[in-house]
Amino acid sequence: SFPFIWYLLTNLVRPKLVVTAYRSSSLLRQIGVERDPRAAIALYRKAADQGHSGAQVNLGECYENGNGVEQDPRAAFDWYRKSVDQGNVWG
């Protein structure tokens, strides 16, 4: 999504997390790679657990929509909340 890409481009201070989050986005949305939602979730979680608020939002969306994980509104809310607590307006 545009907000996520914008976030990546404007927050390159943690390049390792940016690459992890971008790769997971590519795996989930099939951008230049074979679609692999489980691998995408694992990478989103890795970046989200390390505090990447964009990855937290995207992980929340995955739980909200059941994309690559079992649909879980509570988990979605928790990931969105973590992102908002860091000041991310997209959470």
Side-chain angles (χ1 to χ4, degrees):
S1 67
F2 176 76
F4 180 63
I5 299 301
W6 178 84
Y7 179 85
L8 291 179
L9 294 175
T10 59
N11 292 281
L12 296 177
V13 293
R14 294 187 271 175
K16 214 173 192 184
L17 290 179
V18 169
V19 169
T20 299
Y22 179 76
R23 184 165 178 244
S24 58
S25 177
S26 297
L27 288 167
L28 191 60
R29 293 177 175 85
Q30 195 174 358
I31 303 171
V33 295
E34 187 173 330
R35 189 173 188 276
D36 188 347
R38 290 186 194 271
I41 296 302
L43 291 172
Y44 275 144
R45 187 177 312 281
K46 182 177 179 180
D49 285 342
Q50 293 179 42
H52 189 282
S53 66
Q56 292 168 342
V57 169
N58 284 320
L59 195 53
E61 288 176 354
C62 290
Y63 277 105
E64 181 178 1
N65 299 313
N67 195 357
V69 292
E70 186 174 330
Q71 194 170 17
D72 184 345
R74 182 64 191 177
F77 177 82
D78 291 341
W79 283 112
Y80 288 142
R81 171 58 79 188
K82 287 179 184 187
S83 179
V84 167
D85 288 346
Q86 294 185 71
N88 188 329
V89 298
W90 301 107

